Amino acid sequence: MDLAVVLVLYFSCLLLLSLWKQSSGKGKLLGPTPLPILGNTLQLDVNDISKSLSNLSEVCGPVFTVYFGMKPTVVLYGYEAVKETDLGEEFSGRGSLPLPERISKGHGILFSSGKRWKETRRFSLVTLRNFRMGESVEDRVQEEARCLVEELRKTNDG
C-alpha cells in the first residue's frame, strides 16, 4: 500500500474520531449517540419517522436530542412534554433550509417563520376574507359576466 493512502486513511480516522468526541461531548444532551457528520440519520426510519421517534422516547424519555447531520434537534415527544415546557412560542418555529432561504430571502408563505410568517398569514386571511372566500367563485364570475353583457348592450344601443 502506498504511504500517502495510509496517511490519508489515518488522518481521516483521526478527524472522524475527533468530530465524534466533540459532537457527543457538547453539554451531554440526552439522546442516542450520534455518528460523526451523519448524526442519528442512520438510526431513524425515514419512511416512518414518528415510529422511530416514539421508540427513542421510550428509551430516552419524552425530551431528547437527535442530530440531523451535525445539527442538534431537541424533540419533545407527547402532549405532556410540550405542555410542561410552557415555551410554546419558542418551539413553534420552523427549522431553516439554506437553499430555499437564500432564494426567498425569508419572504413568502412556504419558507418564512416566526413573526414574518404570522404577519403574512394574517394578511392572506384578511385579503381572502375581503374577496369573499366563502362565496362561490362561479356565482361571482356569472355576476361579473352579466354586468359586462349589460355594459356591452348599452354601448351597442347608444
Side-chain angles (χ1 to χ4, degrees):
M1 222 183 196
D2 192 31
L3 180 64
V5 173
V6 172
L7 286 175
V8 167
L9 285 173
Y10 176 74
F11 285 115
S12 297
C13 289
L14 280 179
L15 177 68
L16 287 174
L17 186 61
S18 170
L19 286 171
W20 190 7
K21 284 190 176 192
Q22 284 178 0
S23 67
S24 64
K26 290 181 183 174
K28 299 292 181 189
L29 298 173
L30 184 62
T33 305
L35 296 172
I37 300 172
L38 298 174
N40 299 110
T41 53
L42 296 178
Q43 297 168 337
L44 300 173
D45 181 12
V46 181
N47 295 326
D48 194 3
I49 193 105
S50 63
K51 183 171 180 159
S52 298
L53 293 177
S54 174
N55 292 340
L56 285 174
S57 73
E58 291 172 5
V59 174
C60 303
V63 180
F64 56 95
T65 304
V66 175
Y67 284 80
F68 292 105
M70 305 242 345
K71 187 172 183 170
T73 303
V74 176
V75 177
L76 302 173
Y77 192 84
Y79 177 77
E80 291 81 21
V82 174
K83 197 70 172 163
E84 190 176 312
T85 61
D86 202 29
L87 297 171
E89 194 67 31
E90 313 300 326
F91 288 100
S92 65
R94 299 176 179 176
S96 64
L97 299 170
L99 185 62
E101 195 170 296
R102 187 174 295 145
I103 291 171
S104 67
K105 296 180 177 73
H107 298 287
I109 296 173
L110 293 178
F111 299 111
S112 62
S113 180
K115 185 178 179 183
R116 176 168 282 161
W117 176 82
K118 280 185 175 181
E119 291 173 358
T120 305
R121 181 178 183 273
R122 187 177 302 122
F123 172 77
S124 300
L125 288 174
V126 168
T127 304
L128 288 172
R129 195 174 301 125
N130 289 343
F131 282 129
R132 297 184 182 133
M133 186 176 90
E135 288 184 15
S136 170
V137 175
E138 181 183 355
D139 295 339
R140 294 201 54 180
V141 169
Q142 286 179 353
E143 179 184 339
E144 289 298 321
R146 270 188 244 112
C147 292
L148 179 63
V149 169
E150 286 176 23
E151 290 298 319
L152 289 173
R153 286 187 180 143
K154 287 180 188 175
T155 57
N156 284 343
D157 290 341

